Structures are given as C-alpha cells and as structure tokens.
Amino acid sequence: MTIQSTINKEVFIPCNERMLVAVEVQRRKKKRMSFLSPGSKGNYATFICVSVTNTRPQQLLISKVKHFSDSLAFTRTSQWMVEQLQQVDGINPDKDSPEFDLVFINAVDQWAASTAAEKCILVHVLYRACQTYWGAKTGSHVKVKRKGSHQVGVVDPSDSSPGPSSGRTQARRKSLVVPRLPEFINCASKLTKVPQIKMSLGERGDKLTEAEDKTVGLVHTTKQLADIAHKIALKRAK
C-alpha cells in the first residue's frame, strides 16, 4: 500500500472524505516549536493534502497531515476550507522549482515539495478542484473567467437589467455573496490552462473529476517507479 493510500485510509475515509492528492513537503522557513522536547523536533514528515467531503453540499478541504517517527499513524494537524485560500504562488513560472506558497486568510505557509514534479501535480489538482468546486457552488449567478493568472468572480449580467424592477434586482444582488476565488500566480501555464469543468460535484457522487482520479494514480505510479530506480541504483553501486 502506498503512502497516499494509507493517508486516505487512516485520515480521510474515517471522516467521510476522499483524498484527491497528497504531497510530502518541508518548510522553507522553520517555525519555532518550543513546546516540543528537543529530541522530537523535526522527527516527522509533513504532507499537504487536498480532499473533498462525501456529504452534500460537498466541501473542498486543504489539510496538513503529519507522520511522527515514534508513531505508525498519520495525524491531521491543520485543516482549511478552500474559501480560506486566497492565493497559490508557484514562485517562478519559468523554472522547474519545488517551492510554492499557500496564502490563507489567517496564515501564510512557505513550502518546498520533494520534487518540482510533485509540486506541479499538487498545483494542477488543486486548480482543477477549485474550478469544479466554485463552478458548482456559485451556479448561474457567478461566472469564472481568467484575468492573466488570476481567477475573478463576475456577477451574471442578467441580474443588472434596468427598469421598474431595478429595486428588487438590487435587493437580490445584495443577497448574493460573490466568493473571492483563489489566485494562482507564478504557476506554469500548462498547470492552469485547462478546460473549465461545468459538471457539478453532486453529479460525480464521491468523485470530483476523472482527471483528479487519474492524477492520483499517476502520483502512486511515479513513486513506485522512483523506488524501483533507487533500488537498481543501489545494486549497481555495490
């Protein structure tokens, strides 16, 4: 069983969620953790995970999962709803780099994935998931459009018709809360230039999109091939 499958089984399935992707990361800037004993500092692996709930209305979540060296279990230590995500910064769109930032309403996390490829997988899955989630959540009242590398919420023009009913229209417009869609900046264009998904989350049941399912499988396969290549290299070195 792969690490991703284990995380999904131990952390997300018991919470009635389905994990879309999990990528191991390290902080680019270490935080002080004085409450830990000296022997326990740094003895853990951290994973950034994206998941979707199986309940309706479905929620898209971003979680931080840790695996401590003195424990066999994976533990979710932080969780954010995608509504709290303000920006995903790929740092450099012209260079393959494992570094990226996640900017939330109340926190900024600076991460480095194990490889640039794993960062690309995380960004791609998260971008597609956001497109699908917001498309289903906003319905016909908000359209999603691109403005450079930013995502912008736009009120449907059909709600702005003038006339005697303009008062009712304005009242209805005030009742609509236009969400602030997260920005994806400094990300390679190949990661965000994808067709907008119009299928609602409910139509997929416990699946967000077929693309995310294939991507998760790709992550697993890539890690298996890397392990095999590493073992072959060790044998040759001997």
Side-chain angles (χ1 to χ4, degrees):
M1 182 179 293
T2 64
I3 292 178
Q4 287 77 13
S5 298
T6 303
I7 294 174
N8 188 40
K9 181 179 179 181
E10 292 185 5
V11 177
F12 296 100
I13 291 179
C15 296
N16 201 20
E17 299 173 34
R18 188 175 68 90
M19 189 187 75
L20 302 179
V21 67
V23 171
E24 186 173 357
V25 297
Q26 290 185 341
R27 285 193 181 278
R28 299 206 309 277
K29 293 184 179 180
K30 297 291 185 180
K31 287 185 176 181
R32 288 189 174 184
M33 303 181 70
S34 58
F35 58 88
L36 293 176
S37 62
S40 63
K41 289 185 178 181
N43 295 330
Y44 59 84
T46 304
F47 299 83
I48 295 296
C49 307
V50 179
S51 65
V52 62
T53 62
N54 293 323
T55 56
R56 298 183 182 180
Q58 289 181 308
Q59 294 293 320
L60 183 61
L61 305 171
I62 301 169
S63 302
K64 183 164 57 180
V65 174
K66 292 186 178 182
H67 180 247
F68 293 90
S69 58
D70 58 352
S71 174
L72 296 176
F74 289 86
T75 304
R76 175 156 47 185
T77 58
S78 302
Q79 175 181 291
W80 298 270
M81 295 186 298
V82 74
E83 287 85 351
Q84 296 174 281
L85 179 64
Q86 295 183 322
Q87 186 182 90
V88 178
D89 188 349
I91 307 300
N92 191 336
D94 302 318
K95 179 181 178 181
D96 288 335
S97 166
E99 299 180 346
F100 66 96
D101 292 347
L102 296 178
V103 181
F104 298 96
I105 294 176
N106 57 352
V108 178
D109 283 344
Q110 298 178 317
W111 298 109
S114 299
T115 64
E118 290 197 359
K119 182 194 83 171
C120 289
I121 291 173
L122 174 65
V123 172
H124 179 71
V125 171
L126 182 56
Y127 180 82
R128 292 290 299 268
C130 285
Q131 291 286 83
T132 304
Y133 176 76
W134 287 115
K137 190 176 181 67
T138 57
S140 61
H141 296 299
V142 176
K143 296 180 180 179
V144 178
K145 71 175 183 179
R146 295 183 58 83
K147 184 178 181 181
S149 59
H150 305 294
Q151 304 305 309
V152 183
V154 181
V155 178
D156 194 320
S158 62
D159 287 338
S160 59
S161 57
S165 60
S166 59
R168 292 192 300 272
T169 301
Q170 292 177 358
R172 184 171 69 252
R173 188 180 302 165
K174 289 181 180 180
S175 67
L176 298 176
V177 178
V178 180
R180 187 187 186 282
L181 304 175
E183 299 174 335
F184 285 75
I185 66 171
N186 296 322
C187 297
S189 58
K190 62 183 179 181
L191 300 179
T192 54
K193 284 186 178 180
V194 292
Q196 183 178 345
I197 302 171
K198 298 181 179 179
M199 187 179 299
S200 68
L201 296 179
E203 292 174 325
R204 290 288 297 174
D206 66 335
K207 293 184 178 181
L208 192 61
T209 65
E210 185 178 354
E212 274 79 37
D213 294 336
K214 291 181 178 179
T215 304
V216 173
L218 178 62
V219 174
H220 297 169
T221 303
T222 302
K223 285 187 175 293
Q224 290 173 350
L225 292 175
D227 292 340
I228 294 173
H230 181 64
K231 292 178 181 178
I232 293 175
L234 290 177
K235 288 182 179 180
R236 289 179 176 177
K238 294 179 180 179

